[in-house]
């Protein structure tokens, strides 16, 4: 099979296309013929961090993907052979990610993909959708699970609604019944966040975004899903309702976080940091089940017309795919692996 590997941390040039023997699934594992591999910021960050310890002689990158199970290991029902699946956390603490024609993963990381849902959607779930689910389910007064109606009467602010996680926040919040506001940085991104389903989209570089959000939500926002905490924290606190939650999954731009402690105390605000690796198995399992249900309901489409343009590369140009994500490509970067 063809696979992308790297043996040393560094820039995209450390990625190499190689031939490897077909891997065999062990007990509790499945082998998946990968159709599409999804690229996330965490993929290039893991590849580039020279100081981060690795325990494998070589690594095939990428956490997310979609394809078809073609073999199962001991203890796995053979009826899963031929099942279409989406993959998540494939390369988390493991050397076999989805940037290969075949990959082997624990069976629970291969989630059934409904027949009407394409591989592009499947490869775009994983990190973005599971992170979005976590962001929407950590509020003190909010639900721990998502389903239609779970967020009825709630107001969600999706910062960066044209990004992959922001896009998933909009879609999942809409599916669960919330009123969704999104902040973006350009007219083009206004169009994308609107196409994703946000009820209200504001260019935060224009006018007074806090005043505009307060017009929409006079009592304040229940949950903020935040991608640039240092830059946006003052705005978030200005529009947060009492006992509201700011769910921070990134700090794009790297601006230091300056917290108004008294304001936060008076609000009884919750500042929740989150990352999938350490979210805990129960939270991840709940997110997987709910995201799968939303996908079955057709609530998580991708593509330009749905607010998330697809930026595609063939397997032998995976390094270019990484460069695209590193440079902030708008949309979801995918690697086409097999047809």
């Amino acid at each position: 099979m063809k696979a992308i590997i790297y043996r040393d941390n560094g820039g995209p040039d450390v990625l190499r296309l190689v031939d490897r023997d077909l891997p065999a699934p062990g007990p509790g594992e499945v082998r998946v013929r990968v159709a599409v591999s999804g690229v996330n910021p965490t993929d290039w960050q893991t590849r580039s961090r020279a100081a981060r310890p690795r325990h494998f002689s070589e690594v095939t990158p990428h956490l997310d993907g979609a394809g078809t199970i073609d073999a199962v290991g001991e203890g796995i029902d053979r009826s899963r052979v031929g099942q279409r699946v989406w993959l998540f956390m494939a390369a988390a603490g493991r050397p076999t990610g989805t940037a290969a024609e075949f990959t082997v993963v624990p069976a629970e990381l291969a989630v059934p993909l409904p027949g009407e849902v394409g591989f592009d959607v499947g490869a775009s779930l994983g990190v973005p959708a599971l992170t979005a689910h976590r962001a929407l389910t950590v509020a003190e007064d909010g639900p721990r699970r998502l389903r239609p109606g779970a967020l009825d009467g709630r107001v969600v602010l999706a910062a960066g609604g044209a990004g992959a996680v922001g896009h998933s926040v909009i879609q999942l919040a809409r599916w669960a019944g919330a009123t969704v506001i999104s902040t973006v940085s350009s007219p083009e991104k206004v169009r994308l966040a609107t196409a994703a389903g946000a009820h209200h989209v504001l260019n935060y570089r224009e006018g007074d975004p806090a005043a505009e959000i307060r017009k929409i939500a006079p009592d304040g926002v229940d949950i903020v899903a935040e991608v640039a905490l240092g830059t946006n924290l003052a705005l978030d606190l200005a529009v947060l309702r009492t006992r509201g939650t700011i769910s921070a999954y990134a700090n794009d731009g790297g601006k230091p976080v300056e917290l108004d402690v008294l304001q936060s105390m008076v609000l009884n605000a919750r500042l929740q940091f989150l990352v999938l690796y350490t979210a805990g198995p129960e939270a991840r399992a709940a997110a997987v089940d709910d995201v799968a249900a939303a996908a079955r309901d057709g609530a998580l489409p991708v593509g330009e017309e749905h607010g998330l343009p697809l930026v595609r590369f063939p397997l032998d140009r995976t390094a270019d795919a990484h460069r695209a994500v590193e440079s902030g490509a708008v949309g979801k970067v995918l690697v086409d692996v097999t047809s």
Side-chain angles (χ1 to χ4, degrees):
M1 69 171 189
K2 300 290 185 184
I4 297 293
I5 66 151
Y6 63 94
R7 295 194 176 95
D8 298 299
N9 295 96
D13 290 340
V14 302
L15 298 172
R16 297 174 50 213
L17 180 67
V18 298
D19 290 306
R20 288 291 179 264
D21 292 336
L22 205 61
E29 295 180 330
V30 297
R31 185 174 69 201
V32 177
R33 185 174 189 265
V34 180
V36 183
S37 179
V39 191
N40 297 290
T42 190
D43 295 316
W44 73 258
Q45 291 163 0
T46 300
R47 183 214 71 225
S48 66
R49 288 175 184 163
R52 186 174 183 137
R54 289 197 293 107
H55 308 291
F56 310 106
S57 59
E58 66 178 42
V59 172
T60 292
H62 300 178
L63 296 170
D64 299 341
T68 305
I69 294 175
D70 85 316
V72 299
E74 181 182 349
I76 303 301
D77 192 331
R78 287 197 54 80
S79 68
R80 294 205 68 181
V81 174
Q83 186 178 66
R84 300 168 74 255
V85 293
W86 59 276
L87 306 175
F88 70 98
M89 294 184 68
R94 308 176 65 259
T96 53
T98 65
E101 291 179 326
F102 293 85
T103 191
V104 169
V105 297
E108 64 271 17
L109 303 185
V111 187
L113 187 67
E116 64 276 12
V117 179
F119 287 137
D120 288 352
V121 171
S124 302
L125 297 176
V127 168
L130 299 179
T131 299
H133 182 282
R134 178 72 173 155
L136 293 169
T137 55
V138 293
E140 178 182 359
D141 301 328
R144 292 294 176 264
R145 300 293 299 266
L146 296 183
R147 65 184 187 281
L151 291 174
D152 280 357
R154 309 299 174 93
V155 180
V156 169
L157 173 58
V165 177
H167 178 263
S168 291
V169 169
I170 292 170
Q171 291 184 323
L172 283 173
R174 277 293 304 255
W175 177 67
T179 296
V180 184
I181 305 168
S182 185
T183 52
V184 296
S185 61
S186 70
E188 173 61 13
K189 291 180 179 180
V190 168
R191 184 184 67 79
L192 293 175
T194 301
H199 296 91
H200 310 275
V201 185
L202 306 174
N203 185 338
Y204 65 82
R205 293 177 173 171
E206 298 176 351
D208 185 344
E212 291 302 313
I213 291 170
R214 281 288 181 177
K215 288 179 183 177
I216 298 164
D219 294 329
V221 170
D222 294 273
I223 302 169
V224 181
E226 185 54 74
V227 66
L229 186 64
T231 299
N232 295 334
L233 182 55
L235 171 61
D236 295 343
L237 289 173
V239 302
L240 197 67
R241 74 158 177 83
T242 302
R243 296 189 310 281
T245 296
I246 301 169
S247 300
Y249 61 89
N251 189 28
D252 284 3
K255 182 178 178 180
V257 175
E258 297 182 4
L259 180 65
D260 186 323
V261 175
L262 180 59
Q263 182 186 19
S264 303
M265 290 170 60
V266 171
L267 283 170
N268 264 273
R270 174 175 292 197
L271 180 54
Q272 174 78 49
F273 294 92
L274 53 99
V275 69
L276 287 181
Y277 300 107
T278 54
E282 291 185 5
R284 282 198 302 268
V288 169
D289 287 349
D290 295 349
V291 166
R296 285 195 300 272
D297 283 352
L300 301 173
V302 298
E304 179 88 23
E305 68 276 24
H306 301 295
L308 191 69
L310 301 179
V311 184
R312 317 191 76 102
F313 296 87
L315 185 63
D316 62 0
R317 291 185 58 203
T318 297
D320 289 333
H322 278 225
R323 291 186 184 97
V325 176
E326 288 187 56
S327 65
V330 175
K332 180 65 182 180
V333 174
L334 299 178
V335 172
D336 291 309
V337 182
T338 58
S339 59

